[in-house]
């Protein structure tokens, strides 16, 4: 199984960091919980997000988050 809901256990920490930081965001390894969250938080906070993924399955599932103004998916 590619997606396991237990993989998002880092989300509370990520939420805290996003609430107390500013500037651009680098995501090394995309995921079913972190990528959607970072995508919309960066949109809301007017921050640039750069996401890298080397697993083809994850990349193909999440590449549609690429946005010309605030989210680059590589």
């Amino acid at each position: 199984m590619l997606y396991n809901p237990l993989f998002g256990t880092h989300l509370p920490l990520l939420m805290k960091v996003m609430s107390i930081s500013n500037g651009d965001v680098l995501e090394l390894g995309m995921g079913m919980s972190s990528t959607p969250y970072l995508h919309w938080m960066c949109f809301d906070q007017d921050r640039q997000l750069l996401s890298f993924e080397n697993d083809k399955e994850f990349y193909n599932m999440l590449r549609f988050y690429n946005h010309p103004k605030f989210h680059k998916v590589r």
Side-chain angles (χ1 to χ4, degrees), residues 54-72:
N54 68 343
D55 183 293
K56 282 185 177 185
E57 279 189 80
F58 271 102
Y59 175 79
N60 287 331
M61 272 192 309
L62 299 165
R63 68 182 178 195
F64 69 90
Y65 280 106
N66 192 66
H67 189 277
K69 291 190 178 183
F70 73 94
H71 190 177
K72 305 291 188 247

